[in-house]
Amino acid sequence: MTTVTTQSATGTGNGLTAGAVPPGARPALRHRLAERGVDGQLLLLVPAAIFVLGLFVYPFGYGVALSFQPGQGDALSAYRAFFTDTFQRDTIGTTLWIALPVALANVLASVPIAYRMRGRFRGKRLVTTALVVPITLGTVLTAQGLLNFLGPTGWFNRALVSTGLVDAPLELTHNYWGVVMSLVITGFPFAFLLVLSYLSGIDPSLERAAATLGAGWWNRFRRVTLPLLAPGLATTFCLTFVLAFAVFPSAVLVGDPSGSTRVISIAAYQAAYEQFDYALGSAIAIVMGAVELIVIAVVLGARSLLYTGSTAGGKG
Amino acid sequence: MSTVLDPSAPASRPPRRRRVRATPVAWLLWGAVIFFFLNVAGVIGSVLVNSFGRRWFDTWLPEGFTTDWYGQAWEEFRLLQVLTVTVEVALLVVGISVLIGAPAAYVLARRTFPGRNVVYLMFLLPILMPPVTYGIPLATLLYELGLAGNLSGVVLANLVPSVPFVILTMTPFIEQIDPGIERAARMCGANTRRVLLRIVGPLLLPGVLAASILVLVRTVGMFELTFLTAGPDSQTLIVALYYSMSASGIRAQQSVDAMAVMYTAMMLVLLLVALRFVNPTQLVARVKEDVE
């Protein structure tokens, strides 16, 4: 073993366990593998790989298998039960109807604000910190706060009524709007941070170059910044969409969990832990993952049509 | 109109045009931001006021103020035990995920090898998937193995998104370390273990801290996975809060509010600590802050 280690020019520690390979062939194999980038250092990946295989891939496979083994009926009956029952099937639409507008609004609102925040100005750190604070709120405080604040006797409605803008308090909680609002409060800061970091990754000299060529504010944004930013926006959209798509506690607490905000995670939870139908629960969970991945694939597929190079300016 | 304006236009146009164009947009924007903040402040403020309020029905402010709700929440919800569990879970998750994730992040940041993209995707998926999708099969499996319903189940489930998160957070930090330093160490005869322990490790300390704190924040705030795997004695704060709120009517709103305020205060401290180590805008794209 010691001879092998000293032979390797890069000194990569323990070699691959080459097992039954004859001694003469060992260096050759090692070299051939090393040329392709495979050597002992890759062993550092092993714990993480075992971990992900054991706690993510295997349970997921187990869930898939479970969803095809319902207590009664054939292999597909759990899926059939989900898709033929409109009360269950409609949860897909409900979830998308919440998650897509929320993700879109968060991204679209972040762009102009982040665009203004790029430069250096007094109090920038303060504003950034203030924007980050809502991340710490957590779903329960947000839910409690929205119920207090937007409720019929809350400050928001009280202000609207006392200024005469509306006659009767608006219904903003225990429905679609409550859930949307809670997702915007928790999701917007996150989207903003991502957009800001993508935006500050774009070399400002590119825009300055466009300005010297006579491009106005709108043209600079539309022709230079936006195309460079678009891939980042797609990523941000995906990540905020994932957050909003997974909505569960706030859909129960500020929403209408048996009606307009009965999202798919509630359906999955109820099947698995209230009816103890693990096959149906797993099937719904897998449908949920599939729907989400389809949306992400569409967005990222559209992204690959856009420019995906460096956003830093060239040296020349 | 135009004849009046035209003579003065050449002299004053450039500055004035800028101002006229920028102002409405800027005002609208900052107005929207302020409106958002006002609402967020209202949301936080109403919880804060309520948690100190005596009775609050159809008025702008409660009838009187008291701190009793905090004491009541502390005892009623066995908060000491809940907090202990929260801290235990968070520290275990942080420790294990850094130990597992950091070496993998090193390899993924430095090396190319066949199948690298597959490995990368495998690490990316747990972050992309909503926790409920893999949480339900995972919890079912853990219950079969007798691992769920206690602390180990909660820790194992929370590790699933945390390890990939450590890998993704640390990769840019590793890329910042000049590989030349490692090569120099190898020239002097250091093997991989020594390079990692003596060279990369110390240089990577800020990255480790950043990843740890972000995982800590995430774990304390992770609802779904803990909710699916926790038993009565292994609830973290956020799950205890959820139960106390969804069972409202039994308990006073104000003590739930008091508990929510404590949770947010804790998260805020964690996040402010995190912001000292990580510039949030540099997590995705690394940029020099002082560009002219």
Side-chain angles (χ1 to χ4, degrees), chain B:
Chain B
M1 258 324 253
S2 55
T3 47
V4 182
L5 270 180
D6 266 346
S8 64
S12 61
R13 195 185 255 158
R16 199 173 71 191
R17 192 171 63 183
R18 267 183 72 128
R19 208 171 295 150
V20 167
R21 252 194 200 175
T23 307
V25 177
W27 275 110
L28 258 176
L29 256 176
W30 291 122
V33 172
I34 289 167
F35 181 71
F36 180 75
F37 275 129
L38 271 182
N39 285 309
V40 172
V43 165
I44 303 173
S46 59
V47 173
L48 204 61
V49 168
N50 202 24
S51 72
F52 286 110
R54 266 185 216 288
R55 273 152 51 87
W56 189 11
F57 293 113
D58 204 13
T59 44
W60 281 98
L61 283 174
E63 287 171 17
F65 292 95
T66 172
T67 52
D68 290 350
W69 300 112
Y70 285 85
Q72 199 173 324
W74 184 266
E75 287 186 6
E76 211 175 308
F77 299 114
R78 294 191 300 154
L79 271 188
L80 186 65
Q81 196 238 342
V82 171
L83 280 177
T84 319
V85 171
T86 310
V87 170
E88 273 173 9
V89 168
L91 290 183
L92 278 171
V93 168
V94 167
I96 298 173
S97 56
V98 167
L99 274 183
I100 296 178
Y106 176 77
V107 174
L108 285 175
R110 279 277 189 268
R111 310 289 306 270
T112 55
F113 52 90
R116 184 177 178 280
N117 287 336
V118 177
V119 175
Y120 204 77
L121 185 69
M122 202 170 76
F123 287 132
L124 208 61
L125 270 181
I127 295 188
L128 277 183
M129 293 293 242
V132 174
T133 46
Y134 57 86
I136 287 178
L138 178 67
T140 314
L141 188 70
L142 289 177
Y143 273 109
E144 297 252 308
L145 300 173
L147 284 169
N150 52 35
L151 202 67
S152 59
V154 176
V155 171
L156 282 176
N158 272 299
L159 279 173
V160 175
S162 300
V163 170
F165 190 75
V166 167
I167 295 177
L168 290 191
T169 320
M170 284 184 64
T171 309
F173 284 95
I174 295 169
E175 282 168 351
Q176 276 173 332
I177 299 174
D178 185 359
I181 304 174
E182 286 165 54
R183 272 185 235 125
R186 287 197 193 285
M187 285 263 296
C188 300
N191 60 18
T192 301
R193 201 165 58 89
R194 291 190 71 173
V195 169
L196 287 184
L197 285 181
R198 306 284 290 272
I199 312 289
V200 181
L203 286 173
L204 202 54
L205 213 57
V208 171
L209 274 176
S212 310
I213 293 165
L214 290 174
V215 168
L216 196 70
V217 174
R218 271 178 64 105
T219 308
V220 174
M222 172 54 77
F223 172 77
E224 285 92 343
L225 293 171
T226 316
F227 180 61
L228 293 175
T229 49
D233 291 328
S234 50
Q235 286 173 10
T236 59
L237 188 53
I238 187 164
V239 176
L241 259 170
Y242 175 82
Y243 279 124
S244 69
M245 191 178 166
S246 57
S248 63
I250 304 166
R251 298 202 166 94
Q253 282 275 314
Q254 286 97 327
S255 63
V256 178
D257 281 344
M259 203 161 142
V261 168
M262 285 190 252
Y263 168 84
T264 300
M266 189 171 141
M267 286 292 271
L268 193 63
V269 171
L270 282 180
L271 196 84
L272 290 181
V273 173
L275 286 180
R276 289 207 60 80
F277 292 100
V278 207
N279 181 349
T281 59
Q282 297 202 335
L283 274 179
V284 189
R286 272 169 302 115
V287 224
K288 284 202 188 88
E289 188 70 331
D290 306 300
V291 197
E292 285 145 69

